[in-house]
Amino acid sequence: MKAAGRSARTRLRDRVAASDPGLLRLTAGLRTVGAIALTLGVLALFGVDVKHLVAGAMAAMVATFAIREKEPGPQAVTLALGLPVALASVSLSTLLTSWVVVGDAFFVVLIFSAVFVRRFGDRGTALGLIGFQVYFVSLFVGGKVSGLPGLWAAVAVAFASSAVVRFGVVPATPARILGLLRQAFRARLAQLIATQLDLLDAGPDDIDKTLERLRDGTARLHETALMIQSRLDEGTPDASTARLVQRRIADAEIAAERLGLLLLTARSAERADTLTLHLPGAPAPAVGHSPAPGEATEILRRDLTALRTLVLRPPAEARGTALSHLRNRLLGYRDEENLPEATAAVQDVFRGIGETARAVMGLRIALDGPQDESDDSPATARSREELDAEDAAIDAGEEAAEEEEETGLRRPTTRAAVQVAVGSSLAIVGGEFLSSQRWYWAVLTCWIVFINTASTGEILVKGYRRLLGTVLGVVAGIVLAGLVGNHTWTAFGLVLVLIFAMFYTAPLSYTLMSFFVTAMLGLLYTLLHTYSMSVLLLRVEETALGAACGIVAAALVLPIRTDRRTNELLGTVLERLTDVTEGAVDQLSGGPEADLLDTARELDQALGDLRAATQPLTHPITPLRARRDTAQYVVALLETCAYHARSLAATAELLPTHPSIAADPRLRGAVRRTVRNIEAIAAHVADDSAATQVETGPSIASLLEPDTAAGIPRYGRITGRVLRHLERLDEAVVGLARPLGVSVGAPQR
């Protein structure tokens, strides 16, 4: 009974960990709600009125979500500096209320400064955000000079409550967050293997849905790996540990992705190159009912289940003969003589299971420490020796990369500050025409659509989502206000629920977050006795006006057009792709060791930035259907390229320590055409008038002639794997040329 209960709790924990990696959304929601609840409780003890309760609640929310540093020490410093900034902001807002022109001019200066100080990092961003939002809080509650001491007290209590909840009630150290992210990685890895098991049994009617789940699971695993990568420096005790965890996470991710491709190949008529669909609605591969008849299918099903068990079993339960037997059997597939009798494609799947089991064992050692070796088979002992040799070879030395920094109006923070200042000035003027009392809603919307956006298209999409969420939130606000009536604490309780939902859904959907914000504001208006249908309709009008002013400012003042932004990011992706490919092949050809995993992660980050920048082009409301399809096709091909480049980097990382991998000098020549093609595409992207051409020719494998003098065979299994990745990469690069307008021709002689 206890075991069943523990198993249910473990499954629930893994499900939660997979849905919210690091529990970052849950932590943000709990911290904010806890800070607001504590603030309301303290202020209620002193019998303050509803206006100051609302001001305290909003200030507590600002003090909590504005802090962005990862370490507790810097967080405390920023919070301490934020209090005088907040007190000064609320004082100036209250004092300048009667001086309309002066107050509006100062508000514009404050907005410019709040965006401009983002150049100073997380602390500058937080202090600018606090200054702007607290100024808005005073406008929202209608602060008066006579009530200024009460506002000071409410703000001070809010900041103190935020500190208590952040550091005492809901603490989150970098090491703890990294530990939760590791747990999320395991849970998502297990979910991906479960989906691969479903792919094994999927019939023609379910294959589309199963493939979609397989793609989503692979993308979610990759997302978690990137989140871990971003927190290794703060969450690990030293650089050597960080490098070890980084390598083992990369190994497990790539092995799991390769296993999915091998399964898909075993079920398909053709070799699978990528899990990405190049175009929406593209047909699924032609598949049969099972990858192999009879016994081989049952063995695959059994071994995939065993692999999932190895991933999920907690460290405390990871000892024992049964689990050792599973591990030994799976690792045995790394030896040719242990492969079951089956077709070549199915035997590749068994090899993939063996390599994934090795990656899982390496991950467990890196995350949980030394494992029980008493029941090791020869194959397991050999795998453990390989892992130990790799661990010992990790070089912790790192060189900080220096990036060229733009200056003047070309600097992103300066440009954004000018744009938002102009947009806010327009919003103030237009908002005053709509309402002399609620004009600041237009300014708030204009401010918000500029946050985390870098092009006119991104601002347009964000403004649209903000407006849609606001319209839906107004409807919800009307319903909730009617239900709550004059019940103050019921309204505050619902406000807390809506705030938690707002922070929990913010990373998932901006429209949904805007919905919860607007519904919450409807309740706050009810508490302030200023609620009416006209007020909520005015909220929609001011939101539309603010979004329009932001779009106009972004389009006319120092504009960054979406195509220019995407071209710049596309050039960066191609540059990183060249770095990873050349570095990996050079090392596989016998060149010096390089920091390939970091370079591969830079490629992933650049591709993520490009994917986000193309959202305006791929959004469902875009009228440019052909352009949308082209953008989706290009991003899909780049994802294919990134997968094969990551796999090359991971194989090259094994070269110095893996006894079965030897350098093959002939690989260096085989990659030259691919690199030239990438450079040709990059040159065309940078200057579309450049006369560049992508070359095609014989397969990459055919470029490796046997070196009979040196006794080198045509190529072995590892070199064959490298060649397969190079061939798929070469094909994907040639595929990129056509949608990007680069001519394709035969090699010049």
Side-chain angles (χ1 to χ4, degrees):
M1 197 72 174
K2 288 182 179 179
R6 184 171 64 250
S7 177
R9 287 195 301 272
T10 301
R11 287 196 299 271
L12 177 61
R13 181 197 64 194
D14 291 339
R15 211 170 276 127
V16 172
S19 65
D20 181 16
L23 302 183
L24 298 178
R25 291 186 285 124
L26 180 64
T27 299
L30 290 178
R31 277 181 172 174
T32 307
V33 169
I36 294 173
L38 183 58
T39 300
L40 292 175
V42 173
L43 293 177
L45 290 177
F46 291 95
V48 302
D49 58 20
V50 172
K51 178 190 293 187
H52 290 90
L53 286 175
V54 172
M58 296 181 74
M61 182 172 65
V62 173
T64 304
F65 77 74
I67 309 300
R68 302 190 176 192
E69 287 96 342
K70 296 173 183 176
E71 296 278 0
Q75 290 176 6
V77 172
T78 302
L79 197 58
L81 293 174
L83 178 57
V85 170
L87 294 176
S89 183
V90 74
S91 301
L92 289 168
S93 177
T94 303
L95 293 172
L96 296 176
T97 299
S98 56
W99 301 77
V100 178
V101 177
V102 176
D104 290 351
F106 176 79
F107 199 16
V108 173
V109 172
L110 175 63
I111 290 169
F112 175 88
S113 302
V115 177
F116 185 78
V117 296
R118 291 180 186 175
R119 67 196 303 179
F120 301 113
D122 289 340
R123 181 162 297 158
T125 301
L127 295 179
L129 194 58
I130 289 171
F132 171 82
Q133 293 285 4
V134 173
Y135 194 99
F136 170 82
V137 168
S138 177
L139 295 174
F140 181 80
V141 300
K144 305 294 184 183
V145 176
S146 59
L148 200 51
L151 288 176
W152 287 341
V155 170
V157 169
F159 272 73
S161 299
S162 178
V164 169
V165 173
R166 175 179 293 274
F167 301 116
V169 181
V170 190
T173 63
R176 179 175 178 271
I177 292 175
L178 184 58
L180 292 171
L181 286 173
R182 293 169 176 174
Q183 181 181 336
F185 184 86
R186 279 174 166 160
R188 286 188 167 182
L189 178 57
Q191 288 180 349
L192 180 58
I193 294 172
T195 306
Q196 292 170 351
L197 188 58
D198 293 339
L199 177 65
L200 188 67
D201 297 322
D205 296 336
D206 327 321
I207 187 64
D208 288 338
K209 187 178 295 184
T210 306
L211 282 175
E212 184 63 32
R213 288 172 49 217
L214 191 64
R215 284 186 291 272
D216 289 344
T218 304
R220 282 157 58 87
L221 185 68
H222 185 57
E223 174 195 24
T224 312
L226 290 178
M227 293 173 71
I228 291 174
Q229 166 74 13
S230 69
R231 292 179 178 269
L232 282 174
D233 290 341
E234 295 87 5
T236 51
D238 52 57
S240 180
T241 304
R243 288 285 301 156
L244 175 61
V245 174
Q246 178 188 16
R247 176 178 290 186
R248 295 301 170 226
I249 290 289
D251 287 347
E253 177 196 353
I254 292 171
E257 188 169 0
R258 182 183 291 127
L259 178 58
L261 292 175
L262 292 173
L263 274 167
L264 190 57
T265 297
R267 293 206 49 160
S268 305
E270 300 177 357
R271 175 175 291 279
D273 299 338
T274 175
L275 296 175
T276 306
L277 281 181
H278 291 172
L279 288 173
V287 297
H289 289 282
S290 64
E295 186 178 354
T297 303
E298 292 303 319
I299 296 174
L300 276 178
R301 188 178 294 110
R302 180 199 66 184
D303 288 341
L304 286 171
T305 304
L307 182 61
R308 183 173 179 272
T309 301
L310 286 180
V311 172
L312 284 177
R313 188 63 61 91
E317 302 176 18
R319 301 178 184 275
T321 331
L323 197 65
S324 299
H325 175 71
L326 294 180
R327 182 189 62 205
N328 293 341
R329 185 179 75 239
L330 300 186
L331 288 172
Y333 292 144
R334 300 183 67 220
D335 296 331
E336 297 294 316
E337 62 269 17
N338 294 327
L339 295 175
E341 291 186 7
T343 64
V346 174
Q347 285 194 330
D348 278 343
V349 177
F350 283 110
R351 292 189 187 97
I353 290 175
E355 293 299 328
T356 307
R358 177 192 184 276
V360 169
M361 185 171 74
L363 186 65
R364 294 190 72 95
I365 293 172
L367 301 185
D368 304 325
Q371 308 292 301
D372 183 11
E373 304 178 21
S374 57
D375 297 315
D376 280 1
S377 66
T380 302
R382 186 170 61 256
S383 297
R384 200 183 297 278
E385 289 170 1
E386 293 170 1
L387 292 169
D388 291 341
E390 292 169 18
D391 295 349
I394 289 177
D395 182 9
E398 297 182 357
E399 296 181 2
E402 295 183 4
E403 296 183 0
E404 183 179 352
E405 191 174 288
E406 295 180 336
T407 58
L409 292 177
R410 296 176 60 195
R411 187 192 295 268
T413 51
T414 305
R415 182 193 300 114
V418 173
Q419 289 178 324
V420 74
V422 173
S424 298
S425 299
L426 296 174
I428 289 173
V429 174
E432 291 277 8
F433 280 107
L434 287 177
S435 170
S436 60
Q437 301 296 320
R438 314 286 181 195
W439 55 269
Y440 47 79
W441 285 122
V443 181
L444 180 68
T445 300
C446 182
W447 156 279
I448 287 176
V449 297
F450 275 95
I451 295 177
N452 297 326
T453 53
S455 70
T456 306
E458 290 179 61
I459 292 171
L460 176 62
V461 170
K462 193 170 185 180
Y464 157 77
R465 289 171 174 168
R466 176 82 177 181
L467 182 59
L468 177 61
T470 298
V471 171
L472 297 175
V474 163
V475 176
I478 293 171
V479 174
L480 291 175
L483 293 175
V484 169
N486 295 322
H487 297 85
T488 300
W489 292 107
T490 302
F492 271 124
L494 284 174
V495 165
L496 292 178
V497 172
L498 291 172
I499 287 175
F500 178 84
M502 175 181 72
F503 280 92
Y504 196 78
T505 59
L508 304 178
S509 169
Y510 186 73
T511 300
L512 201 56
M513 186 199 75
S514 300
F515 165 80
F516 288 122
V517 169
T518 304
M520 174 199 70
L521 291 173
L523 290 175
L524 293 181
Y525 278 131
T526 302
L527 291 169
L528 294 172
H529 305 294
T530 56
Y531 168 80
S532 67
M533 183 70 71
S534 61
V535 168
L536 292 180
L537 292 178
L538 179 64
R539 159 85 170 146
V540 176
E541 294 171 350
E542 296 278 6
T543 298
L545 174 65
C549 290
I551 293 167
V552 169
L556 300 180
V557 181
L558 304 173
I560 295 292
R561 299 182 62 83
T562 302
D563 54 357
R564 175 186 162 190
R565 167 77 173 163
T566 53
N567 281 347
E568 290 176 351
L569 293 173
L570 176 56
T572 302
V573 171
L574 293 172
E575 181 183 346
R576 299 287 184 268
L577 180 61
T578 302
D579 293 342
V580 175
T581 305
E582 275 193 312
V585 174
D586 184 60
Q587 188 163 317
L588 287 165
S589 303
E593 295 181 35
D595 197 356
L596 295 175
L597 287 182
D598 280 344
T599 309
R601 289 307 180 196
E602 289 173 4
L603 168 62
D604 291 331
Q605 187 60 57
L607 183 55
D609 292 341
L610 176 63
R611 192 183 298 109
T614 58
Q615 285 185 359
L617 305 177
T618 58
H619 197 275
I621 67 171
T622 180
L624 306 175
R625 303 298 181 184
R627 194 178 180 190
R628 180 192 65 184
D629 291 345
T630 298
Q632 290 176 328
Y633 185 75
V634 168
V635 171
L637 282 175
L638 287 171
E639 288 174 346
T640 300
C641 293
Y643 162 69
H644 293 295
R646 282 199 309 271
S647 298
L648 289 171
T651 305
E653 285 275 336
L654 297 175
L655 182 63
T657 56
H658 203 295
S660 65
I661 301 179
D664 191 335
R666 298 170 297 170
L667 289 171
R668 187 177 284 110
V671 79
R672 287 173 186 160
R673 183 180 72 199
T674 304
V675 171
R676 285 198 304 269
N677 286 343
I678 297 174
E679 292 173 344
I681 295 173
H684 179 80
V685 169
D687 180 7
D688 56 9
S689 63
T692 60
Q693 186 181 54
V694 165
E695 297 178 0
T696 60
S699 69
I700 298 295
S702 68
L703 300 178
L704 262 71
E705 295 301 329
D707 189 347
T708 54
I712 300 177
R714 184 164 181 81
Y715 47 82
R717 186 163 65 88
I718 297 299
T719 301
R721 178 193 294 179
V722 171
L723 287 174
R724 284 196 295 272
H725 287 303
L726 286 176
E727 286 175 349
R728 301 302 181 263
L729 178 59
D730 186 66
E731 292 166 3
V733 169
V734 173
L736 276 172
R738 294 182 176 88
L740 293 176
V742 183
S743 61
V744 179
Q748 299 178 353
R749 298 187 182 274

